[in-house]
Amino acid sequence: MATSIYFERQWKGIKFLRITTKYDTKSDCIKNKYFEIIDYIEAGLNRQSWIDTFKAYQLNDENFKIHVLGKLTERDFERFITFLSDTNFLLN
């Protein structure tokens, strides 16, 4: 599975957003939905990365394991919450 940010645990599944390193080739419309992770090294990532908020994905199988590579720094987490509220992000 691709690197992702897990944000909601449901009864038999999870919702998550993908993390990508591909930003420059995207359209301006898509770039507006990408959140830049400034402290990517501290978050356990090897390259500059963005959280793709264009679509939330859902995994409905209870037979999966979550492997934690790292977590957002407090600074990035606070910025991310502000970003989501500024973009009227809704779970789809």
Side-chain angles (χ1 to χ4, degrees):
M1 182 200 254
T3 304
S4 58
I5 184 166
Y6 152 79
F7 63 89
E8 182 181 4
R9 173 84 177 161
Q10 297 179 334
W11 179 249
K12 288 189 175 183
I14 62 168
K15 283 197 173 183
F16 62 94
L17 298 169
R18 289 187 175 193
I19 294 176
T20 183
T21 58
K22 295 174 176 52
Y23 178 82
D24 294 332
T25 60
K26 302 297 181 184
S27 70
D28 288 340
C29 178
I30 298 294
K31 285 180 179 180
N32 287 334
K33 301 285 187 181
Y34 278 21
F35 171 80
E36 181 180 11
I37 300 172
I38 293 174
D39 302 325
Y40 65 94
I41 293 172
E42 292 90 337
L45 302 166
N46 296 325
R47 297 175 19 200
Q48 181 62 57
S49 300
W50 290 261
I51 300 172
D52 178 354
T53 67
F54 190 74
K55 179 181 179 184
Y57 297 87
Q58 188 163 331
L59 191 59
N60 292 321
D61 183 2
E62 65 213 31
N63 297 318
F64 58 84
K65 292 184 181 182
I66 297 175
H67 178 72
V68 177
L69 299 175
K71 65 180 187 174
L72 294 177
T73 61
E74 188 161 330
R75 173 174 76 155
D76 276 339
F77 179 76
E78 289 175 6
R79 290 180 47 252
F80 187 50
I81 296 302
T82 301
F83 176 85
L84 293 178
S85 63
D86 288 349
T87 58
N88 297 317
F89 176 77
L90 297 173
L91 299 178
N92 48 353

